[in-house]
Amino acid sequence: MGWHAFEEHWDNTFVRELGWLGVRIDPAPVATPSLLAVDDELARELGLDPDQLRTPEGLAVLAGNAVAPGSEPIAQGYAGHQFGQLSPLLGDGRAHLLGEVVDTHGRRRDIALKGSGRTPFSRGGDGRAVVGPVIREYLVSAFMHAAGVPTTRSLAAVATGEQVLRERPLPGGVLTRVAASHLRVGTLVLLATQGSREQLAEATEYTRARHYPDVPADDPMALLVAIVGRQARLVARWMSLGFIHGVMNSDNMTLSGETIDYGPCAFLDQYDPQRWFSSIDHAGRYRYSAQPAMAMWDLARLAECLVPLVEGPPDAAVEQAQEVVESFRTTYDAQRLDLFRAKLGLRTVRTVPPHEDNPADATLVEDLLDIAAAEALDLTGLFRDLARTLREEPTPTLDGITDRERWEAWFGRWLIALDAVRTDGGGVTHHGDRKDVADAMDETNPVYIPRNHLVEEAIAAAHAGNLEPFHALDAVLRAPFVERPSLERYAEPADPGFTQGYVTFCGT
Ligand code: AMP
Ligand code: MG
C-alpha cells in the first residue's frame, strides 16, 4: 500500500491528546534524496508496500520532502539529564514524529524521521544527521531486534544529497524510526520541572494507557514498578550481548522499555567490563559495567517526577518510590542470571545442591566472566566456542587462553553442571544430549554481532558511494544465530589494535 492509500491508517493520538507538548512543524525538504535501505519486513508489518516506498512518491515521504496524507508532523518537547546534569529543555531538534499507525498485529507504532531539519528545539544545531550514524542506527537496531532485544526499529535510511558540516563536510542522511512511542523519561522531567500538575498527570496517564494498559490508572507507583521492571530486563539483555549504549541520558531512555538512540553505541569484543568507547564520555560514566547503575539513576529521576502525583503524605511517597527504584537490582540480577544460564546451556533447574565441584550457577557465570576479563576473550566467540566444545568442533577463542589450569578447572565444573541438570546428579552423560545443549546455546548466543570494525567498514564504504558492504552486513545481522558458510569474516573479532584505539562519536 502506498502512502496515499495509507491515509486512513494514521491515528495520531499524541498530536490529539498531548499536542501542547510539541510544535507542529513539517520536515525540511532535502536536495536530491536517494534510498540507502528499506526494511521490507517492517514495511509489511506496518501495512506498507516496500516497493511503493522505493518509488519517488514513497521516497519523498521518507526524505521529508512530502508529508503523507494523514500524517501530522510534530517535534516533541522533552528535557533530559545529560551526563548527570539537567538540561531543562531539549526536544526534537532534528526529528519529526510523522504520526502513529496501528500495525498488522494491532500494535500502535510511532513513525518518525531523524535528521529531517530544524525545529524550534534545534538550539544551535542544523537539524541534520550524517549518513554514517544513520547507517549505524539502521544496522544495530536491526541486529537488536533479531537478537530479541526490545528496540526502536529502522524502516528506511535515505541519503539527502546534501553535505552536512561537522569537523568536515559529510554526506547527510535521514532515518525513518519506528517506535512503540518516543515518550522518554525526559518527557516527564520536562513536565515535572516546568509544566502544571495537570499536564504531568495527563502525560503520565497517556503513557500508562499506551504502554501499560494492565496497570491501574491513578497509581503512579504501580506505573513506576512496571517501567523499572522493563528497563531492568532491557539492560540485562544489553549486558548479555556486550552492548554499550554510550549515552544513557534520561532523554535517551524510553518509557516503553525499548532501546532508543543508537548514537555512540558499540559492542565489547575483548571482554573488559570497564570499557567504553564514546568520545564525549570523558569519565566513562556510561561504561559497560556502569549501565545497570546508570539506568537506576535515570529511573530515580523518573521517580522524582511521579512522586508529586501520589496521594497522601509526600515522605511516604518518596520512600515508596526509592524502594521501587531499588527493586531494579533484584529484577536485573534475576534476569541477567537467567540470560547467562541460558548462554551456558543451563536451561533447567539444578537438581543437585551446589558444592565445591558443582557451584551455584551464579558462581559459574561470574568465574567465567573473570576468566574472560583476565584473558581478554572475545565475548561473542567465547559463548559460541563453549557450544563447539560440546560438538568437538574447533574453538578459536578458547585456544587463545593462556592460564590453562584455571580454564580446565572451570570447564570441568561447567560439564558437571550440565550433567547435573539432566542426569539428576548421576553423572551419566549422553553424547546426543550434549548436542542438544549446544544447539540450544546457539539459539541464544549470536555468532554474528555488529562488530565495531564491520560497522565502520560499512560506513566508510557508503561514504565513498559503495553500499554493498552495508547491505551485506545488514543481511548477516538479521539472522545472527545461524552460522553460514562463507561468512567467517563476520564472526571474527577486530584485531586488538583496532579495538584499543576505537572511539565512537555522538550521532550529531
Ligand atoms: P542526541 O544526542 O541525538 O540524543 O541529541 C540530544 C539533543 O540534541 C536532542 O535534543 C537533539 O534533538 C539535539 N540535537 C542533536 N543533534 C542535533 C542537530 N544536528 N541539530 C539540532 N539538534 C540536535
Ligand atoms: Mg536523544
Side-chain angles (χ1 to χ4, degrees), residues 78 90 94 114 177 184 247 249 251-252 260-261:
Y78 53 85
L90 291 171
R94 54 163 169 170
K114 180 172 175 180
R177 182 150 75 187
R184 310 138 194 271
V247 58
N249 294 335
D251 52 311
N252 292 337
I260 197 169
D261 236 333

Side-chain angles (χ1 to χ4, degrees), residues 125-136:
D126 59 8
R128 292 300 178 189
V130 175
V131 161
V134 165
I135 285 180
R136 178 179 291 106

Side-chain angles (χ1 to χ4, degrees), residues 200-283:
L200 176 64
E202 261 179 67
T204 303
E205 169 54 19
Y206 179 91
T207 303
R208 183 204 66 78
R210 183 157 172 185
H211 298 300
Y212 303 90
D214 296 339
V215 169
D218 302 318
D219 189 348
M221 288 300 110
L223 180 63
L224 185 62
V225 168
I227 295 173
V228 167
R230 274 196 204 166
Q231 285 294 337
R233 286 188 288 275
L234 178 67
V235 175
R237 287 204 170 266
W238 293 358
M239 300 300 275
S240 76
L241 293 167
F243 175 73
I244 305 174
H245 181 283
V247 58
M248 293 174 67
N249 294 335
S250 64
D251 52 311
N252 292 337
M253 179 187 269
T254 60
L255 296 175
S256 69
E258 286 182 342
T259 311
I260 197 169
D261 236 333
Y262 295 94
C265 63
F267 285 83
L268 278 181
D269 42 15
Q270 300 156 32
Y271 184 67
D272 174 0
Q274 300 314 324
R275 198 64 219 266
W276 77 93
F277 295 96
S278 169
S279 63
I280 55 166
D281 190 356
H282 303 297

Side-chain angles (χ1 to χ4, degrees), residues 334-346:
Q335 177 72 10
R336 174 175 175 277
L337 180 57
D338 266 9
L339 291 170
F340 275 90
R341 289 180 78 246
K343 287 173 85 68
L344 286 175
L346 303 170

